[in-house]
Amino acid sequence: MRLTNSAVPVYTVSGSSTSRSLPDWLSQSQKRKKDPEYANRVELLQDFEFEEASQCVRISEDGEWAMSTGTYKPQIHTHYLPNLSLSFTRHTNTLNKTFLFLSSDYSKSVHLQEDRSIEFHTPGGCHASLRIPRYGRDLAYDRSSTELLVPAVGTNGNGMGEAFRINLELGRFMNAFEVDVGGDDTGGALQGGIGAGSVNVAAVAEASHNLIAFGTSQGTVEYWDTRSRARVATLATPADLEGRSEVTALTFHRSGISTAVGTSSGLIYLYDLRSPVPVLKKDQGYGYPIIYLEYLTPSSATRASVSEPKIASADRRILKLWDERDGTPWTSVEPAVDINCVAWCKDSGMFLTANEGRQQHSFFIPQLGPAPKWCSFLDNVVEEMADDPNDPQAFSRTKVGEIYDNYKFLTTSQLRMLNLDHLVGKTNLLRPYMHGFFVAQGLYEEARLIANPSSWEEERAKRVQEKIEKERESRIRGKKKITAKVNRKMVERILDREEKNEQRRAQRVLAQGGDEKPAPEVAETEEKGLLADSRFAKLFQDEDFAVDETSREFQQLNPSTKVAPASNLDREKGLTAVEEEAIDEVPRSEEDTSEEENAGRYRTTDRISTADYRRKPNKKQKKGDQMRMQVSSSGKSSTVRAPVDRSFGTRAENMHPVQRTKRSHGFGGTAGDKVITFEPGSKKSRASGKAAASSKGAPRQDRRSASGNTFRRM
């Protein structure tokens, strides 16, 4: 953000001049690597810009929507402020001159176009459109009668200027207000020729008496009563040597008594309705027409707002804020491009502008008010950017200036105070610029600490305090030794959890500013812990309570626990109950039964181990299993077996019962039936079978699909 040079600091949050100023020699070298404007930008609102320029900007009554119009091409941008994002963009057929919100949010708006058309927009788009007889200059909305007022240029048949009335409830034109604009008798200015009179601006006193005021090209202000639809009074601005200037801006105070009038010559008059003489005259200074006037009255009256009421006025060159009582300048904002429209976020110090540049501007004045709710983070950013009171060269509220990126501008006297004057002309650490030198920010900070010992002592005291608090926190936590003989991993997890709890407790004690004694029940709970409880002593001392994390039961109960590999993988363990039941249910042959009777039922040394269950068979074992031939007969059974393998997978495969099928026409008779089965395991045959299957069901390889859907590839 950029800080303008004024008695009251103004931060340019977004716009064409948001990056801090840099010398030419520095900006050119940095732009070769990275654009500094892009690196230092603060994008307050997403896409808060137009291709060429912006024409008008408004903020809704609820403060959550910002709508702006611009070119090229004619567009409408609507931003949702709580999300700091662009909600939608809409294009129009012609340029937009001005618009108004008809509702508290963005849902209903009316737009005055350059081609004498008026468009009514809703969230769905352009709801309706109509044409007015002559070109419009401004829009005003009377909520009490739901009438839209359109001041226009030119005169009617009676030689009077008109402000068209459109009743939105009835949906038709009403009799227009006839305003005296000094029309000629010839009728040559009927449709608005050169020198034709016009009604330039309109204002409605909604919060008070509901009078309507029209500013004309004659330099007069006419007040109309909506109840009688008649002219109440006419106010003429003071004339100068060139005559009366046109009235280009008009607004009412919330009380309805005071009126601010801006003219085309850059003069502002404050009137009390009880007197035709202006109470105050203010010169904007540049001679351009006034395009914006507003009383900066907050919604809730405070002592500051009552004692120092302020008014904001703007022409195409500058935005000024000044005192309502005596016209004393308070602060000003002068962007690099011309201003077309200004919108103030109520009860805050934020201003949004529509201007001739590509980017729309956002200005924040902290002394005027806090940041809006939708960008409350600006308050913290401004506090961080506040000047250091210990820095003798820092800019205070009475002297606000600019600080260059990563560099500090110092004069010769300031260099002498920092004992850096001996570097002038001897090194490139000091780069001459105008009446001073640029010094790297890091070098400036070090020199300032050396030249100002008090700042170094404060920094040292701060670091010592941080170190003391860190040691104090570690002392409160303490360290505990692990004395358990078994289940050490469980003890480590318990100690880790207790250490985290003590760390949080220590942080709470430090945050309260002292060592507070815990409650009696809390202290008793801390003294007794799970490890110090005598009831659970055997859990960490007796080997009978040791938890074997490599057992199958532990892995089934804790599937997500990662177990370290066992040191002895060849250690054999017995079968589980489920495995033993599965083996008992499988019928065995006579030879297997006789062998088991001779050798005994599954000795402990012959049981299947967990390591064997996990070990995968090698290629030779797979080949032997695939080429195995079994011959069984009713008379005598003989089995050609593969080499003995104690793995559970191999035993379970061999123990499946043989499915005997009765054949009416088979090999042999009832006494000599033989069944021969082969399991071919040739790689070529399997590869050919897979190729045949893929050629039938798989999609064509020459067709590539970008879809990520798995079912589209099946």
Side-chain angles (χ1 to χ4, degrees), residues 460-471:
R460 182 177 179 275
K462 181 180 179 182
R463 294 181 181 179
V464 170
Q465 184 66 22
E466 291 178 356
K467 187 175 181 180
I468 291 175
E469 291 182 357
K470 185 177 181 181
E471 293 179 354

Side-chain angles (χ1 to χ4, degrees), residues 63 67 165 193 253 485 523 567 572 687:
M67 182 178 291
R165 295 168 53 206
H253 191 269
K485 296 181 179 179
S567 60
E572 297 180 356

Side-chain angles (χ1 to χ4, degrees), residues 396-408:
S396 62
R397 289 186 178 181
T398 59
K399 185 179 179 182
V400 181
E402 298 176 353
I403 302 177
Y404 298 108
D405 287 347
N406 301 326
Y407 283 86
K408 181 73 173 179

Side-chain angles (χ1 to χ4, degrees), residues 611-668:
D612 293 338
Y613 174 73
R614 293 180 179 178
R615 187 182 298 114
K616 297 181 180 180
N618 53 24
K619 296 182 179 180
K620 293 182 179 181
Q621 295 174 352
K622 289 183 177 180
K623 187 174 181 181
D625 295 341
Q626 292 172 355
M627 298 304 296
R628 183 184 305 113
M629 180 181 69
Q630 296 179 355
V631 182
S632 60
S633 62
S634 59
K636 184 179 180 180
S637 62
S638 61
T639 306
V640 179
R641 297 191 177 186
V644 179
D645 192 352
R646 294 183 178 181
S647 65
F648 180 78
T650 306
R651 286 178 175 267
E653 183 179 2
N654 296 338
M655 292 176 184
H656 285 298
V658 178
Q659 300 293 337
R660 300 179 183 271
T661 56
K662 296 182 179 181
R663 299 173 179 267
S664 58
H665 301 283
F667 301 100

